[in-house]
């Protein structure tokens, strides 16, 4: 599958303009720990991240739900939908199914949305605005920075509550740390680790997803896939995009991270630049993990 063949064009995006990294993004949502902005740049970055993920996994999901998605009335929930790119692509392809995307932000498009898709502002750390047993498929990708370590089990409980018996829950997360790190990369990654530690976030939750699903008494048929993805010049054609995504994260959270690693603006830019060279010149990789499970009938 090509990388960019379904880039969403011509959609107007509702975006908050704040770049404030506190809990108040101007989104009227409290009780969350997510520290990334919800502005134009971050929306574009999340869109790029979607294209990279789809390319790496060569598809948008791995639960055995293709037939279900082609049946009228199937209901799908996308948790932390971000730019909405995954949901809009899925809703366009599976036009008989209904798709709902939830997010604390309102950065999703508000026009040219397929009739079977909608976005709702909701916080996955709170009770979701859906009845028990509503969805046939629930998808949640790259939310590690939004769910504190001690809330993963209860968040999964809540997702399972709104999942229909026999329905599938799929989670995907990445490890942002590389197996080999040069000095600049180490400094940046250490800063990210401090940021996540301060917010109670587990940066290695990708390796625990399978356990979380196995521990949930209402789930069974747990499947897990891990993929090492080589970055830098030894990688495939997406290597440049992978680091573009990483450096866009670092640009978008620059004020916060600069403060944590105690460097000036110029020093920070220099570190990100050096990190780019280190990653490009080494044969480093990071891990991508996805899991799914079925709710018992
Ligand atoms: C890295 S983006 C991933 C977007 C999308 N899932 C994807 O894979 O393309 C994380 C998204 O989760 C959202 N988010 C963070 N904390 C959340 C919460 N407590 N409830 C709902 N959404 C949340 C953020 O606003 C952001 O849009």
């Amino acid at each position: 599958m090509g990388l960019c063949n379904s880039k969403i064009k011509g959609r107007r995006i509702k975006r908050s303009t704040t770049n404030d990294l506190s809990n108040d993004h101007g989104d009227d949502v409290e009780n969350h720990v997510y520290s990334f902005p919800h502005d134009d740049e971050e929306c574009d970055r999340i869109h790029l991240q979607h294209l990279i993920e789809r390319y790496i996994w060569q598809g948008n999901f791995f639960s055995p739900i293709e037939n279900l998605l082609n049946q009228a009335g199937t209901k799908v929930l996308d948790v932390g939908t971000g730019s909405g790119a995954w949901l809009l692509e899925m809703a366009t392809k599976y036009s008989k199914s209904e798709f709902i995307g939830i997010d604390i932000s309102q950065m999703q498009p508000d026009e040219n949305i397929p009739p079977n898709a909608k976005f709702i502002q909701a916080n996955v750390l709170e009770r979701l605005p859906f009845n028990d047993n509503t969805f046939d498929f629930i998808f949640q990708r790259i939310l590690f920075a939004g769910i504190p370590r001690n809330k993963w089990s209860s968040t999964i409980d809540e997702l399972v509550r709104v999942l229909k018996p026999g329905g599938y829950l799929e989670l995907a997360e990445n490890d942002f740390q590389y197996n080999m790190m040069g000095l600049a990369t180490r400094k940046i990654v250490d800063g990210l680790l401090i940021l996540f530690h301060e917010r109670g976030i587990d940066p290695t939750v990708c390796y625990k997803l399978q356990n979380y699903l196995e521990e949930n008494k209402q789930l069974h048929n747990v499947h897990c896939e891990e993929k090492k993805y080589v970055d830098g010049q030894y990688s495939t054609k997406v290597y440049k995009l992978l680091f573009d995504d990483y450096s866009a994260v670092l640009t978008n959270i620059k004020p916060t991270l600069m403060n944590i690693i105690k460097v000036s603006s110029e020093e920070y830019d220099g570190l990100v630049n050096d990190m780019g060279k280190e990653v490009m010149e080494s044969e480093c990789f990071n891990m991508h993990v996805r899991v799914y499970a079925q709710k018992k009938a």
Side-chain angles (χ1 to χ4, degrees):
M1 181 179 287
L3 196 63
C4 295
N5 60 3
S6 68
K7 194 163 168 135
I8 299 157
K9 294 201 170 90
R11 295 185 191 277
R12 192 165 68 77
I13 308 273
K14 269 188 297 197
R15 294 167 181 184
S16 85
T17 48
T18 176
N19 199 27
D20 179 2
L21 294 169
S22 70
N23 269 5
D24 179 7
H25 295 288
D27 299 330
D28 299 329
V29 177
E30 307 248 322
N31 184 25
H32 69 84
V33 294
Y34 195 66
S35 55
F36 293 79
H38 290 135
D39 54 17
D40 285 7
E41 288 71 27
E42 181 64 359
C43 187
D44 290 345
R45 183 197 71 74
I46 291 176
H47 195 148
L48 171 64
Q49 180 181 269
H50 159 69
L51 298 173
I52 294 171
E53 286 297 313
R54 191 189 64 187
Y55 181 81
I56 287 177
W57 293 109
Q58 287 292 295
N60 273 328
F61 58 89
F62 86 128
S63 302
I65 49 152
E66 183 84 32
N67 287 344
L68 204 63
L69 290 173
N70 284 313
Q71 285 167 26
T74 294
K75 288 195 167 64
V76 179
L77 178 67
D78 180 24
V79 180
T81 192
S83 69
W86 181 91
L87 180 133
L88 293 168
E89 235 174 78
M90 292 286 288
T92 305
K93 179 163 183 195
Y94 301 103
S95 56
K96 290 183 179 162
S97 293
E98 283 174 45
F99 291 81
I100 296 180
I102 59 165
D103 204 290
I104 47 170
S105 81
Q106 288 184 290
M107 65 168 111
Q108 303 78 37
D110 57 5
E111 59 184 31
N112 296 330
I113 297 173
N116 57 333
K118 78 173 168 193
F119 297 109
I120 295 176
Q121 194 177 18
N123 184 348
V124 74
L125 301 179
E126 295 172 350
R127 188 177 167 87
L128 296 175
F130 308 113
N131 292 333
D132 295 359
N133 310 327
T134 299
F135 296 97
D136 299 278
F137 179 46
I138 300 181
F139 181 75
Q140 178 185 288
R141 186 176 65 190
I142 316 186
L143 232 75
F144 77 93
I147 301 178
R149 181 188 298 274
N150 62 359
K151 292 264 175 84
W152 270 92
S153 291
S154 55
T155 300
I156 289 171
D157 288 348
E158 179 58 4
L159 297 180
V160 171
R161 179 185 72 76
V162 299
L163 185 65
K164 280 184 191 163
Y168 288 88
L169 169 63
E170 180 165 331
L171 310 173
E173 296 293 339
N174 302 334
D175 186 351
F176 64 86
Q177 301 187 69
Y178 294 103
N179 63 322
M180 297 189 272
M181 291 187 262
L183 283 180
T185 309
R186 187 71 262 174
K187 188 149 186 161
I188 295 270
V189 166
D190 283 349
L192 287 170
L193 290 172
I194 292 171
L195 170 65
F196 291 138
H197 177 74
E198 283 172 352
R199 287 170 186 259
I201 288 162
D202 182 353
T204 57
V205 73
C206 62
Y207 304 112
K208 299 169 192 156
L209 296 178
Q210 184 173 3
N211 276 356
Y212 280 124
L213 295 191
E214 282 171 353
E215 276 165 20
N216 188 299
K217 298 276 176 286
Q218 292 190 73
L219 295 174
H220 68 158
N221 293 336
V222 179
H223 291 256
C224 178
E225 269 186 24
E226 290 191 356
K227 201 166 258 193
K228 261 186 201 171
Y229 213 81
V230 177
D231 220 330
Q233 61 176 317
Y234 299 95
S235 179
T236 64
K237 64 178 177 177
V238 293
Y239 76 85
K240 175 90 178 54
L241 289 180
L242 276 165
F243 191 72
D244 283 353
D245 179 33
Y246 210 130
S247 72
V249 171
L250 298 176
T251 304
N252 294 350
I253 61 164
K254 178 173 172 179
T256 306
L257 208 53
M258 254 174 61
N259 238 352
I260 290 176
I261 54 182
K262 303 203 178 359
V263 289
S264 68
S265 177
E266 294 73 36
E267 286 166 337
Y268 184 86
D269 294 342
L271 276 175
V272 174
N273 198 33
D274 290 350
M275 177 176 174
K277 288 188 199 143
E278 288 171 5
V279 170
M280 290 304 150
E281 285 160 15
S282 68
E283 203 172 340
C284 61
F285 63 80
N286 65 350
M287 294 301 292
H288 297 245
V289 182
R290 59 184 187 174
V291 297
Y292 76 76
Q294 188 175 26
K295 185 168 174 179
K296 290 177 187 166

